[in-house]
Amino acid sequence: GAVVSQHPSWVICKSGTSVKIECRSLDFQATTMFWYRQFPKQSLMLMATSNEGSKATYEQGVEKDKFLINHASLTLSTLTVTSAHPEDSSFYICSAAPAMGTLFSNQPQHFGDGTRLSIL
Amino acid sequence: KQEVTQIPAALSVPEGENLVLNCSFTDSAIYNLQWFRQDPGKGLTSLLLIQSSQREQTSGRLNASLDKSSGRSTLYIAASQPGDSATYLCAVQQGAQKLVFGQGTRLTINP
């Protein structure tokens, strides 16, 4: 089945550091990938939609200068948390759906295993 | 703004019981509804996807129903097993593949 790989799975770093998280679709092409954030015992909240070859679309309240998204190929999107602070500590999850020629595809999204980010 | 609510927030039952998880959503203009499973510290595994034109989907011991007009979905798990213990999330898809998630039901199956 379709697989989405996310790396790293866990990262601990000092406040002020920038952290890059990668999301790869291993056996399908994805023109669109999604980045979610999940705080403990809460649901997933969509942060941004990553579009291959163009700028990401951010949800209301998400700082685009703090959460930099790059989607340079059909199989890779990256999320960089710039100058991370303790309040950015969270579980970040990406997802992707096979490109079907339309944004309104009913194909299920496939999720990565997530990245636990801890900022000291 | 779409809001998705899941009840109960947590559920603990003995092994072998049948159980029902509930999901409700406020805006019936959806493309589909998905049920996911999330194990602690892990990502999401898709269990069932129901298109907006469908009323139910089945996979093994799982059955999901959708009543779009009333904004409700249920996930029925038959003959529960300890390995079914996880958090179950429902999500509705609106435009451009965006998913709106409920807060999940944390399920514990006791041996």
Side-chain angles (χ1 to χ4, degrees):
Chain A
V3 177
V4 173
S5 173
Q6 196 171 333
H7 178 81
S9 58
W10 196 8
V11 59
I12 302 174
C13 58
K14 293 181 179 180
S15 184
T17 306
S18 292
V19 178
K20 180 185 285 188
I21 303 169
E22 294 186 348
C23 180
R24 294 180 185 272
S25 55
L26 298 185
D27 54 0
F28 64 94
Q29 293 184 332
T31 53
T32 305
M33 293 184 176
F34 301 88
W35 288 97
Y36 296 86
R37 180 166 53 187
Q38 184 179 34
F39 291 106
K41 296 189 178 181
Q42 294 188 25
S43 190
L44 279 73
M45 297 298 294
L46 179 65
M47 298 175 65
T49 302
S50 171
N51 304 298
E52 187 267 335
S54 65
K55 291 183 178 181
T57 304
Y58 291 81
E59 295 300 302
Q60 190 173 9
V62 178
E63 300 175 58
K64 62 180 181 181
D65 294 329
K66 181 165 188 65
F67 300 99
L68 301 179
I69 292 174
N70 183 276
H71 193 153
S73 77
L74 286 171
T75 59
L76 174 65
S77 174
T78 61
L79 168 68
T80 300
V81 184
T82 61
S83 187
H85 292 288
E87 59 266 28
D88 299 321
S89 298
S90 187
F91 192 55
Y92 293 86
I93 308 178
C94 70
S95 72
M100 297 293 289
T102 171
L103 281 176
F104 296 92
S105 165
N106 277 327
Q107 293 297 309
Q109 292 186 22
H110 301 276
F111 285 77
D113 278 343
T115 297
R116 184 160 303 285
L117 175 63
S118 297
I119 308 299
L120 304 177
Chain B
K1 179 185 173 184
Q2 177 75 267
E3 293 184 2
V4 180
T5 303
Q6 289 186 246
I7 296 173
L11 181 64
S12 180
V13 301
E15 179 179 4
E17 282 200 4
N18 304 323
L19 56 99
V20 175
L21 307 182
N22 297 291
C23 173
S24 62
F25 48 96
T26 55
D27 185 351
S28 61
I30 63 171
Y31 285 91
N32 59 52
L33 182 144
Q34 278 185 263
W35 282 93
F36 295 89
R37 169 186 174 135
Q38 185 177 30
D39 292 293
K42 297 292 186 181
L44 276 64
T45 300
S46 180
L47 298 173
L48 289 165
L49 181 150
I50 311 176
Q51 306 287 3
S52 62
S53 59
Q54 297 175 325
R55 292 193 66 84
E56 67 176 344
Q57 282 287 334
T58 298
S59 176
R61 294 182 293 108
L62 305 180
N63 176 278
S65 68
L66 174 64
D67 184 342
K68 200 174 78 163
S69 61
S70 66
R72 295 182 180 182
S73 176
T74 61
L75 178 66
Y76 175 83
I77 302 177
S80 58
Q81 303 171 358
D84 294 331
S85 297
T87 295
Y88 290 80
L89 296 162
C90 75
V92 296
Q93 180 182 331
Q94 298 193 281
Q97 297 183 322
K98 287 188 177 183
L99 295 180
V100 179
F101 285 84
Q103 293 203 322
T105 293
R106 190 167 62 256
L107 177 64
T108 303
I109 308 298
N110 302 304

